[in-house]
């Protein structure tokens, strides 16, 4: 897109001189239109690849998510979103160190991408670095205080760390925002040992 802007600026300045060659100006306009069309097509392809990467990630097809993100990065090496998606997909695919590298790269490219905060939290969690994971979930909550799955993520970390009171406190917060959390908490290993806990039962079980 920046090349299209430069082309338009050059055209504007080219019309300021005297004795302008009309045919040359027409050719320049055609060239700019060609650049614009090419850039539009490239951007459309990048956006399609990004959407595909998200969909593949959501469907659990991590290899395809990585491939789609690779396509975006090949066309746009500064795509923070593509690095974030690829990092999460890599970590879920067992490539945790590479996942950390990608999500950190995404953060360097765009420190304000809140979705990447969540992805970083999850990658650190997969790496077993629970305190780092919790810090990134907390960063999400500074931007989006009612982000259900970051609140739930913190609950699971406290559960894994053996802090039952904190785990149940954060679980209750998540359920208050979205009752569908009950189904997830009832099925995940994080809370398996809580199944006979009276507070857990009152929160999760019908």
């Amino acid at each position: 897109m920046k090349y299209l802007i430069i082309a338009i600026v050059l055209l504007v300045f080219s019309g300021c001189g005297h004795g302008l060659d009309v045919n040359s100006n027409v050719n320049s306009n055609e060239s700019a239109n060609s650049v614009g069309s090419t850039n539009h097509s490239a951007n459309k392809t990048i956006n399609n690849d990004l959407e595909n990467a998200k969909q593949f990630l959501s469907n659990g097809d991590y290899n395809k998510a990585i491939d789609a993100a690779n396509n975006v990065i090949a066309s746009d090496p500064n795509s923070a979103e593509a690095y974030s998606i690829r990092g999460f997909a890599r970590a879920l695919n067992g490539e945790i160190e590479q996942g950390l590298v990608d999500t950190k790269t995404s953060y360097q490219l765009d420190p304000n991408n809140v979705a990447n905060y969540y992805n970083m939290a999850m990658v650190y969690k997969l790496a077993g670095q629970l305190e780092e994971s919790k810090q990134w979930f907390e960063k999400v909550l500074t931007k989006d205080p009612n982000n259900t799955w970051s609140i739930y993520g913190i609950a699971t970390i406290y559960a894994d760390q053996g802090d039952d009171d904190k785990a149940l406190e954060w679980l209750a917060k998540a359920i208050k925002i979205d009752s569908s959390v009950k189904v997830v908490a009832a099925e995940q290993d994080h809370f398996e040992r809580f199944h006979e806990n009276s507070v857990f039962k009152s929160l999760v079980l019908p």
Side-chain angles (χ1 to χ4, degrees):
M1 182 61 72
K2 69 178 181 179
Y3 299 113
L4 176 58
I5 293 170
I6 291 170
I8 292 172
V9 169
L10 289 174
L11 281 172
V12 168
F13 281 103
S14 72
C16 295
H18 297 288
L20 180 66
D21 185 332
V22 175
N23 290 329
S24 175
N25 196 41
V26 169
N27 290 336
S28 296
N29 278 315
E30 288 175 350
S31 177
N33 289 335
S34 175
V35 171
S37 175
T38 301
N39 283 344
H40 177 75
S41 177
N43 288 338
K44 186 174 180 181
T45 300
I46 289 171
N47 289 335
N48 286 341
D49 282 331
L50 270 176
E51 289 306 312
N52 287 338
K54 291 176 189 175
Q55 193 60 52
F56 288 135
L57 181 62
S58 178
N59 293 343
D61 197 334
Y62 306 131
N63 285 321
K64 287 185 177 179
I66 292 167
D67 288 343
N70 283 340
N71 290 339
V72 176
I73 292 167
S75 299
D76 180 7
N78 293 317
S79 175
E81 192 171 7
Y83 276 106
S84 183
I85 294 168
R86 188 175 76 175
F88 195 9
R90 278 179 157 176
L92 289 166
N93 207 34
E95 304 169 41
I96 294 174
E97 288 304 316
Q98 295 93 325
L100 279 172
V101 170
D102 275 350
T103 50
K104 287 177 181 179
T105 299
S106 177
Y107 181 70
Q108 291 168 355
L109 289 168
D110 183 4
N112 297 312
N113 181 6
V114 179
N116 188 55
Y117 297 176
Y118 181 87
N119 289 353
M120 288 189 77
M122 292 301 296
V123 174
Y124 273 116
K125 198 166 189 288
L126 289 166
Q129 299 181 46
L130 299 184
E131 282 302 316
E132 290 83 354
S133 175
K134 182 153 65 72
Q135 288 171 14
W136 283 100
F137 281 132
E138 289 168 347
K139 280 181 71 73
V140 175
L141 297 177
T142 62
K143 302 287 187 180
D144 181 7
N146 291 320
N147 189 283
T148 305
W149 298 106
S150 291
I151 294 170
Y152 177 74
I154 293 173
T156 65
I157 288 172
Y158 280 124
D160 292 345
Q161 291 177 328
D163 191 336
D164 293 8
D165 290 342
K166 285 282 190 180
L168 291 169
E169 176 188 338
W170 282 85
L171 178 61
K173 289 180 183 179
I175 290 171
K176 186 175 181 180
I177 296 170
D178 185 346
S179 62
S180 70
V181 171
K182 294 180 182 182
V183 177
V184 179
E187 294 177 350
Q188 286 198 323
D189 293 344
H190 303 290
F191 294 104
E192 186 173 0
R193 64 184 177 81
F194 287 74
H195 285 193
E196 298 306 316
N197 181 294
S198 60
V199 177
F200 181 83
K201 285 181 177 180
S202 68
L203 285 171
V204 172
L205 301 180

